[in-house]
Amino acid sequence: VCFIPGGLDCSISFVSHILGKVCVHGRQKEILSVLVPHLTDLTKSDCIWQRICWRLVECVPDRWMEAVVLGFVQRAPGADVLSRLLGNLVMKNKKAQFVMTQKLLLLQYGYTTAVLQNILGYLSLDSLRRALLIKVLQELLETWGSSSAVKHSPAEQQHYISKAILICLSHLKEPEIESCRQELLTSMMEGVKCHLDSSLPRIRRLGMIVAESISSKINTDGPVLKFQYEEDDEARELKSLLVQTPSFCVVPSLPDDDRNEKADAALPLVLESNGKSHTAAPHVMPDEESDAELDSDDDLIPYDMSEDKELKKTMAPVYIRDCIEVLTGSEDVDKWEATVKALESLVRKNPAGTREVSVELAKVLLHLEEKTCIEGFAELRRRAQVAVLTMDPIPVTQYLTSQFYSLNYSLCQRMDILDVLVLAAQELSYPKAHGKTKHAPKPCIQLLHGSDSSKDWRRIVDERIKSKTRRFAKGPSQVELASGPNEFSSVAGHFFFPLIQNFDRPLSTFDLLGEDHFVLGRLVHTLAVLMYLAVNTVAATAMGKALLEFVWALRFHTDSYVRQGLLSCISSVLLSLPEERLLEDMTEELLETQSWL
């Protein structure tokens, strides 16, 4: 290389072969961690070294090109440095173009955000390469909007593709957005639908974030999409990628002496600035304190409020029928709130009055919408529905299960029906306490207190004495468990069979076997819970046989959430039915299930 400034020709293909061979044999980190910083320094202001570097990479044989390109992408401190080192390599070498625009973005997903920013920033820094940037964005959006990819690719890969899309969007200029606005809108609508159909909350949130970002880019003046989702670290990281951060000047290859000198010179500046900030603070505090003293109200004499009376609270209705009238037609917001809060206890205290209007009340609660902002409104409404259902199980269950497959209900209402059925079945199947029967303590997590062991010395001594004491006769020491009739036994069929019989009949607004597979997954899990709660009931055998046939019909469903529910169904059948019934009445179904498993 030293002959080049003298005007002599030379070939560096031999060096390119050595570089490629070293990288492909697993020594990529060792050689490029030294080579890249030196080349970064040399190419900063010397165009001859830039051409040497371009030739060095261009002369690498195709069979070794992937290892070399990947090493440069991972070691480069920024997209501008990578552009200086590689030049227009992706426009001259098809192998390099495939690696950078296909393999590292669409086929692999284990690289860091910095690698993605290097690749896409490199494509955006030259007018010839920007066409590749637009093409890459279109292919990423096509993959992001594919329902098959959303269903079958892991969540980590979808997160990786989402990051790549947002980085691409951050590099687009206004004329480029204008030219492909319609394509972006179409891709956004298709992709967000596929993601919202997913049963995984993380996938749905990724779809919402990317759709919001695309919408903000293509609708700079008009309204943009807005979703409600939990703001976590992942969401904040994705949103930050939409804003380009200025590239800092990184000089990783300074000699050790120079680097130490610059570091030593920079350190006092930092310490000095910190010192100033710390010393400046005490001068401000006294002023604030003096202002606070001047504004103090301690000298004012307080009013005598001993004779004041508390405002009368709005009373909730006393009768169930009055509650229905308030919830359906009252304009008094305070009375409406009081009714919602008191309805559950009123229903449980008055079972006879509830049975008279149970179906009507269940209908009102199913369609009830929040008029004001009540804390925990959804939970209050659900508990009231469960109370009505447990007070009058058969007619209310018949109403709810018939409405589950009716027209003009939202998916949220249908899932509310499933939740209410499960909670009511659990309550009915749980034994009630009678007389003076003591409840067994529920298992809980014991929290460890402080490290001072002297406080617990008596407990430790008692446990040691108890463990070493032999007793030849003693009475019952265990707490007597609550017992009682299983109220779910007589109504289990009313909960179960209406839900299972119409799942394959699509409606104009509801298709369980089609796009509403998330509700299908909830239905499958609900049936599994109902089967488990029906243990030792008369209808359990018929329920188990019907459930195994239901599982067989859906065994090849594409959604993993539905298949997990099917496994829960099989487990519930095996746990709820005795061996004799399984082997005598369901031999064929069990063998088919075994082969599927």
Side-chain angles (χ1 to χ4, degrees):
V1 175
C2 62
F3 294 108
I4 295 177
L8 299 177
D9 292 333
C10 69
S11 173
I12 58 172
S13 59
F14 175 69
V15 182
S16 299
H17 280 66
I18 293 176
L19 175 63
K21 201 159 190 177
V22 170
C23 289
V24 85
H25 279 83
R27 296 296 180 180
Q28 179 191 75
K29 181 179 179 181
E30 286 82 350
I31 189 170
L32 290 181
S33 61
V34 177
L35 184 62
V36 169
H38 280 288
L39 289 177
T40 302
D41 271 351
L42 293 170
T43 57
K44 193 173 296 182
S45 58
D46 194 336
C47 61
I48 296 178
W49 271 108
Q50 287 186 15
R51 294 181 61 190
I52 293 172
C53 190
W54 298 348
R55 291 294 298 165
L56 174 68
V57 184
E58 290 169 7
C59 292
V60 174
D62 283 352
R63 62 184 180 275
W64 301 329
M65 181 62 74
E66 179 181 346
V68 174
V69 168
L70 178 59
F72 271 89
V73 168
Q74 290 178 316
R75 300 293 178 278
D80 52 342
V81 175
L82 186 65
S83 178
R84 213 164 60 225
L85 297 179
L86 298 185
N88 279 333
L89 178 67
V90 290
M91 308 302 295
K92 300 175 181 178
N93 188 291
K94 292 294 182 184
K95 178 71 174 181
Q97 184 179 123
F98 170 76
V99 170
M100 294 192 73
T101 62
Q102 297 285 326
K103 193 163 188 177
L104 298 183
L105 298 177
L106 296 170
L107 304 180
Q108 298 174 347
Y109 57 92
Y111 301 109
T112 62
T113 306
V115 170
L116 284 175
Q117 289 173 327
N118 278 353
I119 296 171
L120 299 169
Y122 164 77
L123 295 178
S124 68
L125 288 176
D126 187 86
S127 57
L128 294 175
R129 302 195 294 262
R130 291 194 70 86
L132 285 178
L133 180 70
I134 304 295
K135 182 182 176 184
V136 163
L137 177 59
Q138 291 171 345
E139 292 174 349
L140 287 169
L141 286 172
E142 184 179 350
T143 304
W144 177 76
S146 169
S147 59
S148 177
V150 172
K151 287 180 182 177
H152 300 106
S153 58
E156 290 75 16
Q157 184 171 12
Q158 297 185 50
H159 180 224
Y160 185 81
I161 289 175
S162 300
K163 288 196 293 186
I165 291 173
L166 296 180
I167 295 172
C168 282
L169 290 173
S170 71
H171 289 294
L172 287 186
K173 297 178 180 178
E174 190 60 37
E176 295 167 336
I177 295 175
E178 192 63 37
S179 64
C180 59
R181 187 184 302 274
Q182 191 58 42
E183 294 180 21
L184 288 174
L185 180 61
T186 304
S187 301
M188 180 190 73
M189 299 302 293
E190 293 176 355
V192 75
K193 180 179 182 300
C194 297
H195 284 75
L196 292 180
D197 285 343
S198 174
S199 57
L200 300 176
R202 184 185 182 190
I203 302 301
R204 293 200 296 272
R205 188 169 66 242
L206 286 175
M208 295 176 192
I209 294 171
V210 175
E212 282 184 353
S213 304
I214 297 174
S215 175
S216 66
K217 280 290 183 180
I218 61 179
N219 297 324
T220 53
D221 300 328
V224 296
L225 280 179
K226 281 293 180 185
F227 295 96
Q228 292 182 350
Y229 50 83
E230 183 182 355
E231 282 276 355
D232 57 0
D233 293 338
E234 182 179 277
R236 284 187 285 272
E237 181 203 6
L238 287 171
K239 289 183 177 181
S240 68
L241 296 177
L242 203 59
V243 181
Q244 285 191 49
T245 55
S247 58
F248 296 99
C249 182
V250 180
V251 188
S253 61
L254 289 170
D256 291 341
D257 297 337
D258 295 343
R259 190 185 296 122
N260 293 335
E261 289 176 5
K262 289 181 181 291
D264 293 339
L267 189 59
L269 294 175
V270 176
L271 294 176
E272 185 181 352
S273 63
N274 290 339
K276 288 180 180 177
S277 63
H278 285 298
T279 54
H283 295 293
V284 179
M285 294 302 294
D287 296 337
E288 293 179 356
E289 290 176 358
S290 61
D291 292 341
E293 290 176 359
L294 290 173
D295 295 337
S296 175
D297 295 334
D298 292 341
D299 298 333
L300 297 176
I301 301 173
Y303 287 106
D304 183 12
M305 303 180 68
S306 58
E307 300 297 327
D308 285 11
K309 296 180 180 180
E310 188 178 352
L311 293 175
K312 186 178 180 181
K313 294 183 179 178
T314 305
M315 297 297 293
V318 181
Y319 300 103
I320 303 292
R321 290 188 183 276
D322 294 339
C323 291
I324 295 176
E325 292 179 5
V326 171
L327 294 177
T328 53
S330 176
E331 298 296 330
D332 189 345
V333 176
D334 294 332
K335 196 170 185 179
W336 186 88
E337 286 186 8
T339 303
V340 172
K341 292 178 181 178
L343 184 57
E344 182 199 2
S345 61
L346 186 60
V347 166
R348 295 190 185 278
K349 290 176 184 176
N350 190 4
T354 302
R355 292 189 189 99
E356 294 178 2
V357 292
S358 58
V359 175
E360 184 182 356
L361 183 55
K363 182 178 181 180
V364 170
L365 289 171
L366 182 60
H367 294 85
L368 187 64
E369 295 181 354
E370 189 173 4
K371 284 186 178 180
T372 61
C373 185
I374 304 179
E375 185 177 357
F377 169 77
E379 182 64 22
L380 291 170
R381 183 170 68 106
R382 186 179 296 114
R383 282 160 54 182
Q385 288 176 293
V386 172
V388 174
L389 182 50
T390 53
M391 292 298 107
D392 197 11
I394 294 179
V396 178
T397 303
Q398 290 173 346
Y399 169 74
L400 290 178
T401 52
S402 65
Q403 297 307 298
F404 181 76
Y405 288 107
S406 297
L407 292 169
N408 302 325
Y409 279 95
S410 67
L411 298 184
C412 184
Q413 286 176 308
R414 299 182 199 275
M415 289 190 287
D416 283 343
I417 291 174
L418 297 177
D419 291 340
V420 170
L421 290 173
V422 167
L423 293 172
Q426 287 177 338
E427 184 175 329
L428 290 171
S429 63
Y430 192 79
K432 308 292 187 300
H434 296 282
K436 296 183 179 179
T437 306
K438 294 181 180 179
H439 285 287
K442 294 183 179 180
C444 61
I445 298 173
Q446 298 295 331
L447 297 177
L448 296 176
H449 298 288
S451 59
D452 186 7
S453 59
S454 62
K455 297 178 182 178
D456 298 330
W457 65 270
R458 182 171 293 280
R459 179 180 59 81
I460 296 171
V461 171
D462 290 342
E463 287 180 358
R464 288 179 181 172
I465 294 173
K466 184 178 178 181
S467 64
K468 296 180 183 296
T469 303
R470 295 180 63 190
R471 301 182 186 275
F472 296 98
K474 69 176 185 178
S477 61
Q478 294 185 351
V479 180
E480 186 179 353
L481 295 175
S483 61
N486 185 351
E487 297 179 14
F488 184 61
S489 174
S490 58
V491 296
H494 295 281
F495 280 72
F496 183 85
F497 291 109
L499 287 179
I500 205 172
Q501 64 184 1
N502 293 323
F503 74 95
D504 55 348
R505 298 179 187 175
L507 302 173
S508 58
T509 58
F510 188 46
D511 186 8
L512 278 177
L513 298 183
E515 60 184 9
D516 297 322
H517 51 82
F518 179 61
V519 185
L520 177 62
R522 292 286 293 272
L523 172 63
V524 173
H525 282 84
T526 300
L527 293 173
V529 174
L530 295 177
M531 182 71 236
Y532 179 73
L533 296 175
V535 60
N536 298 328
T537 61
V538 178
T541 303
M543 290 168 61
K545 191 163 187 176
L547 192 56
L548 288 179
E549 293 175 355
F550 174 77
V551 169
W552 188 249
L554 296 174
R555 65 193 186 279
F556 295 127
H557 200 280
T558 56
D559 191 354
S560 60
Y561 181 58
V562 175
R563 295 197 301 273
Q564 289 172 7
L566 298 180
L567 294 177
S568 300
C569 289
I570 295 171
S571 303
S572 300
V573 171
L574 297 176
L575 291 170
S576 302
L577 296 181
E579 275 185 42
E580 298 79 13
R581 298 277 66 81
L582 287 171
L583 296 177
E584 291 177 11
D585 301 338
M586 301 173 218
T587 308
E588 292 183 6
E589 289 85 352
L590 280 179
L591 292 174
E592 291 172 345
T593 302
Q594 183 183 11
S595 64
W596 173 65
L597 291 173

